[in-house]
Amino acid sequence: MKSKKYKPISILILILIGINQTIFSQDLIKSIPIEGRNLTNLSGAVNDSISFHIVINKISTGYNSKIYFLDKNNEINNLEIYNEVNKPNYLTFHVNDSTLTIVRESTNKKIIVQDINYINRKITFSKIPFEAKQIFSHKNITFIVGQKTNVSYPFAFIKKASNTVAKIITPKTQLDKSFFSSLRKKSEFVNDKQFLANGPILDYKGFYNGEELVFTNEDKKKGVTNILTIKPSGKIINRKIQVRNKNELKRLSSFVKDSLLFTFKMYQEESFFDIYALNSLEKLKTFHYTKSEFGKHNKIVMRGKDITKSFKPKKVYNDFTPQAIGSMYLPALNISVNKTIDNEYLVRIGHLDQNSYNNKTTNNFWWNNNAYALNYNLNSGAFSINGTGAQMMIFKALADAKNTGNYFEVNLNSSLEKIDSDNAYKYYDIDENIYNNRLKNIMNLERHFYIIQKDNIRLINYDKKLKTYNIYNLTKINE
């Protein structure tokens, strides 16, 4: 009898929870009616509270693009940014202050740079006279490399339409030549103005440092970390750091942040986490790790589980090495460096599966999204985004257990001393599957983007039935 008595109350509680999730999880702030036939939208963040949304339509006379800027509660501005016969092919974007810079192809495959000021509605253009073959996209700048001509490469540094520098770079050293010939398949670029779950693993790891483009490259046979710096003038500077004992070296990786070079060197019985001043290559700090005493750490995660309070150092150490020849999980050492809201460093050193590697944090925001494929044919071969898709075989079925996370973290202050800190990350990421599952009973998700803001998640979603794009504020879900 008791179960019957409390059953209605239980049902009521469940209903209230469901209503609460439905009502308070999304707030419609803008509905955009579609003109003609919609192709897709391309959206992103201008800053922590303002988002932009480019809606691309096919109309009777050609193609039309309109852009909408929204703050937390209202539309700020909207304006037409494209109206031509040919379909626009947008490649990437970045932001400086109130200016959104969009990079797209022209009809002859050359590059158009378009600046849009969301406050005064001013639009300016510039042209780059070559076709993009490789794009490195950061939050505030874009680098484009063109097709090799004779022995040289066209190279563009794009801050704004009014601040675009195109150079012809001629590789001179063997390292320079290897770098440029490997761009399409063996290089990736880190946008560190976002949360980084993992660091890069490809042969050439790119970083934006000050006004310079820096690539690191590990040569295990020679026992060196090469540092290749491309200056805005087009000049290339090569330097290197030698490891302690190249003959016994097993693993080597690097990362650049705040003019610091972070390296991790693994040997059979011991490892060294070294931090250098990038400009002088002076060694500033060393942390030592062995199989019996796994050095300084704040957190250790294996197979996605926090094992900090109870772990076997030898097991953690050996986990960085393939357990059998032909293993479906091929561990690749990587380093990522995040910052906290108080400007502390959270260094994550771990491994991920080289066979199924696809690190979204080394891509432009658009390129990770299915909606972008409706705008640009990624399989056309016209340019390479980060090179990982073509040459990496996917063995997810057997690697998933390890892919949930394998790393240790060290928290450092500005003096590079280990600290115990519970400060929040400066940037955060979301699990889109959680939001998808929350919304799937409310709406059909189509051509949608989630845009991370400081206080909420912005969602743009296409309503096929009503032929509108709806833009919502979503409550952040604490995972």
Side-chain angles (χ1 to χ4, degrees):
M1 295 297 292
K2 284 185 177 181
S3 61
K4 289 183 179 180
K5 180 179 179 181
Y6 289 106
K7 188 174 181 180
I9 297 176
S10 301
I11 292 174
L12 178 61
I13 292 173
L14 290 173
I15 291 173
L16 289 174
I17 293 173
I19 291 173
N20 182 64
Q21 289 179 334
T22 301
I23 292 176
F24 295 105
S25 62
Q26 75 278 344
D27 179 23
L28 179 65
I29 55 175
K30 177 68 178 178
S31 186
I32 302 170
I34 297 304
E35 302 173 21
R37 178 174 64 88
N38 178 254
L39 301 184
T40 190
N41 87 93
L42 295 173
S43 301
V46 175
N47 53 39
D48 284 343
S49 60
I50 297 172
S51 63
F52 72 88
H53 309 274
I54 303 171
V55 176
I56 308 165
N57 298 321
K58 173 72 171 69
I59 54 179
S60 58
T61 56
Y63 295 86
N64 178 276
S65 296
K66 288 187 176 180
I67 189 167
Y68 300 81
F69 294 96
L70 288 89
D71 63 16
K72 187 172 182 179
N73 301 307
N74 302 289
E75 177 184 308
I76 300 174
N77 251 323
N78 76 77
L79 60 159
E80 184 178 85
I81 61 171
Y82 186 91
N83 192 352
E84 297 185 17
V85 174
N86 299 296
K87 176 180 173 289
N89 280 331
Y90 295 101
L91 301 180
T92 187
F93 75 91
H94 62 263
V95 179
N96 286 286
D97 302 319
S98 59
T99 300
L100 169 69
T101 299
I102 301 171
V103 179
R104 63 175 170 87
E105 286 183 334
S106 64
T107 54
N108 61 359
K109 299 294 184 179
K110 301 302 189 287
I111 302 302
I112 303 292
V113 181
Q114 183 176 19
D115 284 350
I116 307 161
N117 189 302
Y118 75 87
I119 296 176
N120 63 21
R121 299 169 58 90
K122 184 179 180 181
I123 297 178
T124 54
F125 295 89
S126 66
K127 295 182 179 180
I128 297 174
F130 60 83
E131 181 180 353
K133 289 299 180 181
Q134 182 70 22
I135 297 175
F136 301 119
S137 181
H138 200 262
K139 184 177 182 180
N140 308 116
I141 192 169
T142 296
F143 304 91
I144 296 181
V145 186
Q147 180 68 45
K148 181 181 180 181
T149 302
N150 296 323
V151 295
S152 302
Y153 296 81
F155 204 114
F157 298 74
I158 305 169
K159 287 287 282 185
K160 293 182 180 180
S162 59
N163 186 6
T164 295
V165 179
K167 298 287 183 178
I168 299 297
I169 296 180
T170 303
K172 295 181 180 179
T173 69
Q174 188 57 45
L175 179 63
D176 296 350
K177 295 175 183 177
S178 174
F179 165 70
F180 277 97
S181 65
S182 301
L183 276 179
R184 288 179 64 83
K185 293 184 178 181
K186 297 181 180 180
S187 67
E188 57 186 318
F189 187 66
V190 178
N191 178 358
D192 62 344
K193 300 299 183 180
Q194 60 183 332
F195 176 79
L196 302 176
N198 302 109
I201 70 168
L202 297 188
D203 289 0
Y204 292 92
K205 306 168 181 66
F207 308 89
Y208 181 48
N209 186 67
E211 294 300 313
E212 300 173 342
L213 187 58
V214 178
F215 281 85
T216 62
N217 163 256
E218 280 73 44
D219 189 331
K220 287 199 300 180
K221 289 184 179 180
K222 294 182 179 179
V224 299
T225 292
N226 294 303
I227 304 155
L228 184 149
T229 302
I230 303 176
K231 294 183 172 292
S233 64
K235 183 179 180 181
I236 304 175
I237 298 175
N238 293 323
R239 296 177 296 162
K240 63 183 179 181
I241 294 176
Q242 196 81 36
V243 302
R244 292 167 173 80
N245 186 344
K246 68 177 183 179
N247 295 326
E248 297 181 5
L249 184 66
K250 300 296 182 184
R251 293 281 189 275
L252 179 61
S253 191
S254 56
F255 193 95
V256 172
K257 179 80 171 178
D258 293 350
S259 294
L260 296 173
L261 174 66
F262 299 81
T263 69
F264 195 67
K265 310 170 179 77
M266 294 195 74
Y267 299 87
Q268 189 67 37
E269 301 294 331
E270 61 181 351
S271 294
F272 299 91
F273 172 34
D274 294 324
I275 306 174
Y276 301 84
L278 185 61
N279 293 334
S280 65
L281 298 188
E282 175 191 359
K283 187 184 296 182
L284 304 176
K285 201 72 179 178
T286 293
F287 297 94
H288 187 214
Y289 298 82
T290 66
K291 287 186 177 181
S292 59
E293 185 177 349
F294 201 71
K296 291 186 177 182
H297 62 268
N298 294 77
K299 184 179 181 180
I300 294 181
V301 172
M302 285 184 66
R303 312 297 193 274
K305 295 182 179 179
D306 189 334
I307 60 170
T308 311
K309 294 182 180 179
S310 178
F311 70 94
K312 296 180 180 179
K314 185 176 181 180
K315 185 176 181 179
V316 172
Y317 198 100
N318 289 339
D319 204 51
F320 284 83
T321 304
Q323 301 305 304
I325 296 175
S327 171
M328 300 301 281
Y329 180 91
L330 183 59
L333 176 66
N334 69 95
I335 304 172
S336 60
V337 182
N338 288 288
K339 300 289 285 289
T340 71
I341 55 175
D342 283 347
N343 230 27
E344 302 155 348
Y345 295 97
L346 278 73
V347 183
R348 181 176 291 187
I349 300 173
H351 56 86
L352 46 79
D353 182 29
Q354 182 174 316
N355 291 323
S356 59
Y357 176 67
N358 184 16
N359 189 357
K360 74 173 186 177
T361 55
T362 60
N363 286 335
N364 172 276
F365 179 78
W366 282 348
W367 303 338
N368 305 314
N369 197 287
N370 291 333
Y372 181 72
L374 298 173
N375 162 77
Y376 195 95
N377 180 9
L378 299 183
N379 297 317
S380 66
F383 73 95
S384 173
I385 290 175
N386 74 346
T388 62
Q391 81 277 17
M392 296 289 183
M393 296 180 66
I394 299 177
F395 297 106
K396 281 194 172 181
L398 296 178
D400 273 350
K402 281 197 172 186
N403 282 341
T404 51
N406 303 272
Y407 58 86
F408 70 93
E409 287 184 344
V410 183
N411 297 2
L412 307 174
N413 60 20
S414 58
S415 300
L416 304 179
E417 300 290 341
K418 179 185 175 297
I419 57 172
D420 294 321
S421 173
D422 293 324
N423 286 328
Y425 286 98
K426 185 174 182 178
Y427 306 107
Y428 69 93
D429 197 9
I430 64 171
D431 185 341
E432 292 191 4
N433 291 325
I434 294 177
Y435 288 84
N436 290 345
N437 291 333
R438 178 70 66 90
L439 295 168
K440 67 182 180 182
N441 295 323
I442 304 169
M443 64 183 75
N444 293 319
L445 292 171
E446 186 172 347
R447 307 173 196 177
H448 66 288
F449 278 84
Y450 293 107
I451 299 110
I452 295 175
Q453 308 273 239
K454 181 178 180 181
D455 299 320
N456 59 273
I457 305 299
R458 188 74 41 83
L459 167 69
I460 181 170
N461 185 55
Y462 183 61
D463 188 321
K464 189 174 183 179
K465 185 177 180 180
L466 297 178
K467 289 192 65 177
T468 62
Y469 271 106
N470 297 321
I471 303 175
Y472 303 87
N473 283 334
L474 305 180
T475 302
K476 286 197 298 185
I477 299 173
N478 296 318
E479 303 174 29

